[in-house]
Amino acid sequence: MQDALWKMSAAAQAEAVRNAHVSAAELVDSHLERIAEVNPQVNAVTQLLAERARAAAAQTDRRRAAGEALGPLAGVPFTVKESTAVEGVPTTFGAERFRDLVASADAPPVARLRAAGAIPIGHSNMPTLILAGMHTRSELFGDTANPWDRGRTPGGTSGGDGVAVATGMAALGLGNDSGGSVRIPAQFCGVAGLKPTTGRFPADHRVLGPDDPGPASQMLVTDGPLARSVGDLRLAFEVLAGTDPRDPRAVPVPAYGEPLPGPVKVAVVADPGGHGAHPTVRRAVETAAEVLRDAGYDVREVQDVPRLDEALEAYGRITVTEFAATWPVVRKLLGAGGDRYIEMMMEQTPPASADEFMKLMGTWMSIRRSWAEFLHEYPLLLGPVFTEPPVEPGLESRDRAGRDRVGSAMRLCTVSSFVGVPGVAVPTGVVDGLPSGVQVVGRAFREDLCLGAAQAIEDRLGVLTPVDPRVGGRAV
């Protein structure tokens, strides 16, 4: 059993620790050995917290020996994105400038995971300052490789967590998502990921000083977990949901809502906006739709999601306007070539004037209302995470065509983040050696419905990971 500890689900790991079948120390050491074996090949874990993790595991074992009740994630190792604070450890954002920016306290989601017994085992890689593109490449730590195929990006911006979870270096990953940054690496790495409703999980993104960010960063960025199974994702969701005095946005809504009458209606859109979807992506959506239909859901193909192109334009203008004032300084922190992705976006989408920005705020609310009405009719939406298979590393920063292609492919993630609703990415299988998947989007604060549908998909189609890195080519 010792050799297989890192392969176990997070739920099974915690149960084994609580029941004294294994010690937390043994569990942590198993993951540290896996990191030593695998991380040199994929470069996902950036700051290894080995001694801290061993100390936390020893404390867990002492508590169990003393007869104390242990939490639902007792002893479970997790990674934390380089943008999220772990007390006493630098929060580097992958930038040389912040190499020594030591966090004075855990970010709220880290604190909540710790309180449930989980153990941070390392920081994980991301694009520099989250702004350098979708591909997980940072100035400070370099490129992270997709374990399925080094010629394809692991996605991002939470790509380090996606790879760490997929390869068994951690049972859970803590990323964040403002337009696909949890869900895209989940799909590209063959794991599950949750982008919660805005206000579901408490957060504090004031890492660089006492001032809060602007409205786009406040409303779009949500922390979210990655896991190998939907069951583990649900366990993390239950722990992370709640309130914290550091985040007045967090809402004390029950984790589980009232059951809906009759079969739950699911809208299916394989090609949001009609901009095109790869045949393998269409097949993944069709397969998942058939699974849900067989599971008793009322599955209906619909023409499209509400106001997609309008939402994409508003998202772009609002975020560019927020970036514009600090961009001359920020671009210097991104390293060589790290500014290309945002620079191309700013050339294409000029900042709004004050009057225009106020109108955009009204447009934002109007689009959210349209989505609320849509999801009132269809409590769940099934669609793609990314409308292509995993693409080559850095495509979005190469030129305008590459940037537009990636931006279009992630459009359902972008719009669902813009309207603040939850989404769960879940694998559907392996096609041509690469993982494929879908996402289930739901009503605000009904993550439970999304997780339930994702579980039905996983129950039929299976779990794809953990995997060993394919150094010489794709999986077969």
Side-chain angles (χ1 to χ4, degrees):
M1 184 176 183
Q2 298 291 86
D3 292 339
L5 294 183
W6 60 266
K7 296 181 180 179
M8 297 165 62
S9 69
Q13 290 177 15
E15 183 179 14
V17 169
R18 286 195 303 271
N19 294 336
H21 294 154
V22 299
S23 68
E26 290 169 330
L27 184 59
V28 164
D29 281 342
S30 176
H31 284 84
L32 290 173
E33 291 169 6
R34 179 63 174 172
I35 291 170
E37 175 189 3
V38 169
N39 199 54
Q41 301 173 55
V42 293
N43 191 38
V45 177
T46 49
Q47 299 184 70
L48 186 62
L49 308 179
E51 295 312 310
R52 288 169 173 265
R54 288 191 174 108
Q59 177 63 21
T60 298
D61 291 333
R62 285 192 293 269
R63 290 182 57 211
R64 183 182 62 192
E68 295 183 34
L70 300 181
L73 291 173
V76 174
F78 70 100
T79 53
V80 182
K81 192 173 180 176
E82 278 284 348
S83 58
T84 302
V86 176
E87 182 180 6
V89 180
T91 310
T92 71
F93 288 84
E96 180 66 39
R97 174 67 176 79
F98 302 123
R99 177 190 289 272
D100 300 317
L101 186 68
V102 176
S104 60
D106 285 338
V110 175
R112 294 183 75 88
L113 289 169
R114 276 200 212 258
I119 297 174
I121 201 165
H123 263 309
S124 51
N125 204 16
M126 53 176 266
T128 312
L129 297 183
I130 315 181
L131 300 176
M134 177 191 72
H135 173 57
T136 296
R137 173 193 295 138
S138 66
E139 177 194 30
L140 198 52
F141 302 111
D143 289 77
T144 294
N146 189 319
W148 295 83
D149 183 347
R150 296 183 66 87
R152 302 294 169 179
T153 179
T157 58
S158 306
D161 294 289
V163 173
V165 170
T167 56
M169 292 190 283
L172 298 171
L174 179 62
N176 48 47
D177 189 316
S178 61
S181 292
V182 163
R183 291 163 288 172
I184 293 169
Q187 178 182 323
F188 287 8
C189 295
V191 300
L194 166 65
K195 198 253 4 143
T197 308
T198 302
R200 169 61 87 179
F201 297 166
D204 187 352
H205 298 127
R206 298 174 299 162
V207 177
L208 302 180
D211 295 332
D212 282 295
S217 298
Q218 290 179 31
M219 296 298 293
L220 296 175
V221 181
T222 56
D223 296 322
L226 299 94
R228 288 189 289 275
S229 71
V230 175
D232 285 351
L233 208 61
R234 183 186 296 273
L235 190 56
F237 162 69
E238 293 171 350
V239 167
L240 290 166
T243 61
D244 187 290
R246 288 180 286 175
D247 189 356
R249 300 165 299 178
V251 182
V253 178
Y256 292 88
E258 292 293 326
L260 299 181
V264 177
K265 290 167 66 174
V266 182
V268 179
V269 180
D271 180 11
H275 300 307
H278 192 277
T280 62
V281 174
R282 287 183 179 274
R283 284 198 296 272
V285 174
E286 291 166 359
T287 298
E290 189 61 34
V291 168
L292 293 180
R293 189 174 288 111
D294 290 346
Y297 288 83
D298 181 2
V299 178
R300 306 184 185 190
E301 291 189 16
V302 300
Q303 185 173 358
D304 206 352
V305 299
R307 303 171 66 178
L308 182 130
D309 290 332
E310 186 181 1
L312 292 173
E313 181 180 0
Y315 180 106
R317 294 214 70 193
I318 289 169
T319 52
V320 163
T321 302
E322 188 164 304
F323 289 155
T326 57
W327 180 240
V329 174
V330 169
R331 68 181 307 173
K332 297 176 183 177
L333 304 176
L334 289 168
D339 63 344
R340 289 180 56 80
Y341 181 69
I342 297 297
E343 183 66 21
M344 285 188 286
M345 182 172 74
M346 296 189 75
E347 289 173 355
Q348 192 171 16
T349 307
S353 67
D355 287 345
E356 289 170 334
F357 193 78
M358 292 300 293
K359 290 179 182 177
L360 284 166
M361 291 293 101
T363 299
W364 193 350
M365 177 60 75
S366 177
I367 293 170
R368 291 178 65 189
R369 182 179 297 110
S370 295
W371 271 76
E373 292 168 349
F374 176 80
L375 292 168
H376 180 75
E377 174 69 18
Y378 302 99
L380 293 175
L381 165 68
L382 175 67
V385 173
F386 197 85
T387 56
E388 297 190 37
V391 297
E392 57 266 37
L395 172 65
E396 71 281 4
S397 300
R398 186 179 306 164
D399 52 33
R400 178 65 59 77
R403 192 210 166 280
D404 290 348
R405 182 176 152 195
V406 169
S408 176
M410 65 172 69
R411 58 190 179 272
L412 185 56
C413 286
T414 302
V415 174
S416 53
S417 284
F418 189 62
V419 297
V421 296
V424 173
V426 60
T428 56
V430 178
V431 180
D432 297 328
L434 295 170
S436 64
V438 296
Q439 67 174 314
V440 182
V441 175
R443 292 176 180 173
F445 298 103
R446 293 312 303 263
E447 289 86 354
D448 58 331
L449 297 179
C450 299
L451 289 164
Q455 185 68 66
I457 294 168
E458 180 184 280
D459 287 346
R460 172 77 70 83
L461 302 179
V463 174
L464 303 184
T465 56
V467 295
D468 292 324
R470 272 68 173 186
V471 177
R474 297 185 185 179
V476 295

